[in-house]
Amino acid sequence: MTQNPILARLSSRMMRRRQQAMANIPKQLLRKDTITVVLVGTGGPLPSARSQYCTAVSVNGKFLLFDAGDGSSRRMVDLNLPYGDLDTVFMTHYHADHFADLGEVIDRSWIAGRRHTLPIYGPPGIEQIVAGFHQAYTLEYGYRTAHHGTEIMPPAWAKAQAMPFQYDANGTPVVVFDEDGVQVSAFAASHPPIEPNVGYRIDFAGQSIVLASDSLPTETLLAQSKDAEVLVANVMNMDAIQQMQTGAVEMGNSLGAHILHDIQDYHMGLPEMGKLAQKAGVKRLALTHLAPPVEQKYLANRLFRRPVAAHYAGEIIVGEDGMQIVLPVP
Ligand SMILES: [Zn+2]
Ligand SMILES: [Zn+2]
């Protein structure tokens, strides 16, 4: 079948444009004079067009990824993030909306040119998760090498390395990563009965970025968030979830109503989040893992910004997939 020459020209022009765009974005993101936080996926387990939770931080030329829920790998590709330059992954806890795409993250970063074993830090349990993905992807790794050759798809770098760490349940942070002035500490998060579960704090050049994980407000989170440049907070609008629960009851969906009831007791409410951020002196509060995961901007603002703004005077960012927060390095 012969191809229409106009279509062929158009599609090759589109491909070239995309390739040019792809070449530029990694350079911007990996600059050493800025720290960039990318809200890759801003949804949670409730179904929506948002990708599930995933946050990337680019700092001092390092590309760090925190969690990888369903859809986050595809979102990273859509955003032209520098997949092949992925340095290290950190996991908060083992609800699937935080790790469902980890197998894709390992595989795609290798296909995109990663030439080191990918370290994946997490509290105990990470060994089991990484081993499971390796087992599921063994055939895939083999096919890629067989088809493209060992130079393009070197089997030595296909896999990840689980890096389990212990943390202090009472709240003292532990440094789990310390390279070229970039420190990442893990601290206990409260999401009962889900254990283990940690939040992370990234420190570089006197600036700190805190990722709360799925958590209730705690003294530990308050202490770790002190004067943070950015606090990335997983939040829930309790009134809206309660309304959804009532709706589920009315529709005779008792299973859905039960789940919507249960999830309210282990997530961060908006007034509590605003008060914590205000008390800690956080400069920017980025709301993510939005529940309910509304897609319309005006609705997200209404449901999430207003209840926080009543208690917090700093900058509020209502997360959307792909949003970037860029900070100059002092
Ligand atoms: Zn979650
Ligand atoms: Zn969770």
Side-chain angles (χ1 to χ4, degrees):
M1 193 175 71
T2 49
Q3 206 183 356
N4 178 324
I6 299 172
L7 274 180
R9 242 196 336 267
L10 270 176
S11 69
S12 87
R13 202 180 298 160
M14 273 165 53
M15 288 301 290
R16 266 206 309 278
R17 281 214 192 112
R18 182 169 164 80
Q19 277 169 337
Q20 279 161 1
M22 285 179 87
N24 288 333
I25 284 177
K27 279 185 224 143
Q28 288 169 22
L29 202 70
L30 296 173
R31 285 167 56 158
K32 291 194 173 184
D33 58 345
T34 54
I35 301 171
T36 306
V37 179
V38 186
L39 305 178
V40 178
T42 56
L46 298 175
S48 84
R50 292 175 186 265
S51 157
Q52 291 182 343
Y53 181 81
C54 176
T55 302
V57 178
S58 162
V59 50
N60 201 24
K62 294 185 184 302
F63 178 27
L64 313 177
L65 197 69
F66 295 84
D67 288 349
D70 180 30
S72 54
S73 176
R74 181 171 171 174
R75 191 71 75 207
M76 284 171 70
V77 174
D78 289 345
L79 296 168
N80 295 330
L81 299 189
Y83 231 141
D85 292 303
L86 183 59
D87 277 290
T88 306
V89 179
F90 300 84
M91 304 301 292
T92 59
H93 67 297
Y94 307 124
H95 265 145
D97 59 310
H98 295 257
F99 76 78
D101 260 5
L102 190 58
E104 281 297 286
V105 167
I106 298 168
D107 194 41
R108 284 199 190 204
S109 60
W110 173 57
I111 292 170
R114 172 173 55 78
R115 292 294 179 263
H116 62 104
T117 301
L118 185 66
I120 303 184
Y121 288 84
I126 192 62
E127 316 90 309
Q128 184 182 341
I129 298 220
V130 170
F133 279 118
H134 282 162
Q135 188 177 3
Y137 276 71
T138 298
L139 294 173
E140 150 77 6
Y141 301 148
Y143 295 149
R144 297 287 167 197
T145 302
H147 190 190
H148 303 291
T150 53
E151 203 166 310
I152 302 293
M153 292 286 122
W157 307 130
K159 289 186 176 178
Q161 172 73 50
M163 307 287 279
F165 59 78
Q166 298 293 336
Y167 66 101
D168 175 19
N170 296 319
T172 308
V174 288
V175 176
V176 296
F177 175 93
D178 191 352
E179 281 181 25
D180 303 331
V182 178
Q183 263 196 1
V184 180
S185 322
F187 57 88
S190 175
H191 189 39
I194 313 311
E195 282 184 24
N197 182 15
V198 296
Y200 288 102
R201 173 174 160 135
I202 304 121
D203 283 287
F204 178 67
Q207 314 247 48
S208 62
I209 291 153
V210 177
L211 309 181
S213 182
D214 288 357
S215 182
L216 296 166
T218 64
E219 287 300 317
T220 302
L221 180 60
L222 175 66
Q224 289 306 299
S225 304
K226 185 96 187 85
D227 299 325
E229 293 296 321
V230 184
L231 170 58
V232 179
N234 304 11
V235 290
M236 177 174 279
N237 182 314
M238 298 298 172
D239 293 340
I241 296 292
Q242 276 158 22
Q243 281 171 30
M244 287 172 71
Q245 184 190 335
T246 305
V249 170
E250 285 168 5
M251 284 160 52
N253 177 3
S254 58
L255 178 66
H258 192 103
I259 291 172
L260 287 164
H261 168 267
D262 288 351
I263 60 175
Q264 292 170 46
D265 70 0
Y266 69 176
H267 280 296
M268 183 87 74
L270 296 164
E272 295 79 9
M273 187 68 260
K275 285 175 195 165
L276 186 147
Q278 181 69 25
K279 199 168 171 188
V282 167
K283 297 193 183 94
R284 296 168 199 82
L285 182 57
L287 307 177
T288 185
H289 194 283
L290 301 181
V294 289
E295 283 142 35
Q296 300 88 340
K297 205 171 183 158
Y298 79 94
L299 203 54
N301 268 318
R302 206 187 162 102
L303 283 186
F304 294 97
R305 185 184 301 277
R306 285 190 193 173
V308 171
H311 303 278
Y312 172 65
E315 184 184 349
I316 301 168
I317 298 146
V318 179
E320 291 171 30
D321 288 11
M323 259 185 183
Q324 294 193 7
I325 303 159
V326 182
L327 310 169
V329 172

